[in-house]
């Protein structure tokens, strides 16, 4: 498909690589590490959120809230 498009427009691989080669190389050098970094950041955020949820759960279990106890304390109306 690429060869047909290049033939239709009169492009050659040499012309394309001489004009666009540095940009293609830049994309090839930058995109793979960027994708890995993005995935690592997303995983770290997910791990931190899971740890925060576990901590909140442990705190709720250690100090349960008893709304009925609050109604018995103090002066009743």
């Amino acid at each position: 498909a690429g060869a047909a498009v290049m033939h239709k427009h009169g492009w050659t691989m040499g012309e394309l690589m001489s004009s666009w080669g540095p940009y293609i190389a830049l994309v090839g050098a930058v995109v793979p590490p960027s994708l890995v970094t993005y995935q690592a950041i997303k995983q770290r955020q997910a791990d931190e959120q899971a740890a925060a949820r576990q901590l909140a759960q442990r705190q709720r279990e250690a100090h349960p809230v008893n709304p009925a106890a609050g109604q018995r304390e103090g002066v009743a109306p």
Side-chain angles (χ1 to χ4, degrees), residues 31-47:
V31 170
S34 298
L35 293 176
V36 172
T37 302
Y38 176 77
Q39 291 171 347
I41 290 170
K42 295 305 271 183
Q43 183 62 48
R44 182 175 180 179
Q45 289 174 341
D47 292 345

Side-chain angles (χ1 to χ4, degrees), residues 15-27:
E15 291 172 344
L16 287 178
M17 292 310 288
S18 67
S19 61
W20 291 99
Y23 300 103
I24 294 168
L26 177 64
V27 169

Side-chain angles (χ1 to χ4, degrees), residues 71 73-77:
Q71 294 173 355
E73 295 177 2
V75 179

Side-chain angles (χ1 to χ4, degrees), residues 2-16:
V5 170
M6 289 176 67
H7 180 69
K8 178 180 177 182
H9 293 285
W11 298 336
T12 65
M13 186 56 87
E15 291 172 344
L16 287 178

